[in-house]
Amino acid sequence: MTRQGTFAMLQDSPQVYGSATRFLHWVVAALVIVQLSSVFLHEVWDGNAFSQMILPWHTSIGVSVLALMAIRTLWALSQLGHRPVHDGSLQRMAVWAHVLMYALLIMMPLSGVLMTWGSGYGVHAFGSVLIPGADVPWAAALGMVHEPIAWLITLMILGHVAMAMHHHFGRRDDTLKRMVGRPADPQ
Ligand code: HEM
Ligand code: HEM
């Protein structure tokens, strides 16, 4: 395949999300679901094997989500104007819901970083100290939004998956297909 062809596959088009958007969507989705389910399961079933395996990696996974979301935001901005769209007023709703999800997906790990940095623990990821701890009351206070944001994201994800299923099984349109990489049928 030519270099131009590979680049075209990475890019979004009005018919289908490109491989870069799809990769970022599914990797971040998997990491966030692993984060939330490991914490929530630990709260209702202390000592379960899944949470015990994942929780020591909570910061490392969270910092990775933050880095991926920074890349994803720049990538999405570069793709504006040639992404798939919905018909009519649904498009405006979908754009707002997705912008809100991006904001929450950045604030989620960022609040974790602020909490652990500002309350003196520092940010430890992948066996290294990324940011040494400090006594920064405003950062520790901002970090308190970590838990409410986790609940908000959980609600948004449930609504989001319900909408994806509604599009696929109810409306029978191409919304899900274009996020799994199958272009819309030619109109
Ligand atoms: C996708 C990213 C993340 C998700 C979905 C997530 C989710 C959660 C959830 C649901 C909790 C339990 C709620 C609470 O007790 O506050 C929690 C706690 C915590 N998270 Fe995260 N987190 C993420 C990233 C991070 C990062 C990047 C850090 C640190 C740099 C971090 C540090 C912590 C700490 C220290 C706690 C315990 C707080 C406490 O017990 O008061 N998290 N996280
Ligand atoms: C696991 C089941 C999931 C399914 C079936 C799913 C499906 C989809 C579909 C079909 C779209 C395209 C929507 C459109 O074109 O209007 C989309 C976009 C999106 N999804 Fe999901 N999704 C899932 C999980 C998640 C999770 C867990 C998150 C958040 C962590 C998420 C965040 C987003 C965002 C922000 C977009 C906007 C498009 C972009 O810029 O990537 N999704 N999803």
Side-chain angles (χ1 to χ4, degrees), residues 104 107-108 110-112 114-115 139-152:
L104 292 174
M107 279 152 68
M108 183 79 248
L110 192 59
S111 59
L114 289 173
M115 173 191 1
L142 275 180
M144 308 250 293
V145 297
H146 202 62
E147 188 174 4
I149 290 181
W151 284 111
L152 267 178

Side-chain angles (χ1 to χ4, degrees), residues 35-36 39-40 43 58-59 62-63 65 108-109 112-113 115-116 123 146-147 150:
Q35 288 284 78
L36 293 169
V39 175
F40 292 145
E43 278 166 20
H58 186 84
T59 304
V63 168
V65 169
M108 183 79 248
V113 167
M115 173 191 1
T116 44
V123 180
H146 202 62
E147 188 174 4

Side-chain angles (χ1 to χ4, degrees), residues 17 25-26 72 83 86 98 101-102 105 160 175 178:
Y17 287 104
H25 173 268
W26 293 113
R72 185 174 176 183
R83 306 193 98 188
H86 294 281
H98 294 161
M101 279 176 102
Y102 268 62
L105 288 169
H160 174 70
T175 305
R178 60 202 194 189

Side-chain angles (χ1 to χ4, degrees), residues 154-173:
T154 305
L155 286 179
M156 288 287 306
I157 291 173
L158 291 175
H160 174 70
V161 175
M163 279 306 287
M165 295 302 117
H166 170 67
H167 277 285
H168 193 67
F169 296 108
R171 293 173 167 243
R172 294 176 182 274
D173 65 18

Side-chain angles (χ1 to χ4, degrees), residues 7-174:
F7 191 60
M9 273 173 62
L10 284 175
Q11 304 253 22
D12 295 344
S13 74
Q15 289 75 35
V16 65
Y17 287 104
S19 46
T21 298
R22 282 185 275 124
F23 173 81
L24 289 164
H25 173 268
W26 293 113
V27 170
V28 171
L31 293 179
V32 170
I33 289 172
V34 163
Q35 288 284 78
L36 293 169
S37 54
S38 60
V39 175
F40 292 145
L41 195 60
H42 166 75
E43 278 166 20
V44 293
W45 180 10
D46 194 8
N48 76 84
F50 174 67
S51 302
Q52 277 185 325
M53 184 176 74
I54 301 298
L55 287 181
W57 294 94
H58 186 84
T59 304
S60 302
I61 299 174
V63 168
S64 308
V65 169
L66 186 56
L68 286 168
M69 281 310 297
I71 297 169
R72 185 174 176 183
T73 305
L74 294 177
W75 178 254
L77 289 174
S78 78
Q79 300 302 300
L80 288 181
H82 52 95
R83 306 193 98 188
V85 290
H86 294 281
D87 298 332
S89 60
L90 201 59
Q91 171 62 7
R92 189 181 287 227
M93 260 176 59
V95 167
W96 278 110
H98 294 161
V99 168
L100 181 58
M101 279 176 102
Y102 268 62
L104 292 174
L105 288 169
I106 291 169
M107 279 152 68
M108 183 79 248
L110 192 59
S111 59
V113 167
L114 289 173
M115 173 191 1
T116 44
W117 167 58
S119 56
Y121 293 106
V123 180
H124 303 251
F126 301 108
S128 312
V129 180
L130 293 189
I131 310 176
D135 182 17
V136 189
W138 66 262
L142 275 180
M144 308 250 293
V145 297
H146 202 62
E147 188 174 4
I149 290 181
W151 284 111
L152 267 178
I153 284 198
T154 305
L155 286 179
M156 288 287 306
I157 291 173
L158 291 175
H160 174 70
V161 175
M163 279 306 287
M165 295 302 117
H166 170 67
H167 277 285
H168 193 67
F169 296 108
R171 293 173 167 243
R172 294 176 182 274
D173 65 18
D174 288 311

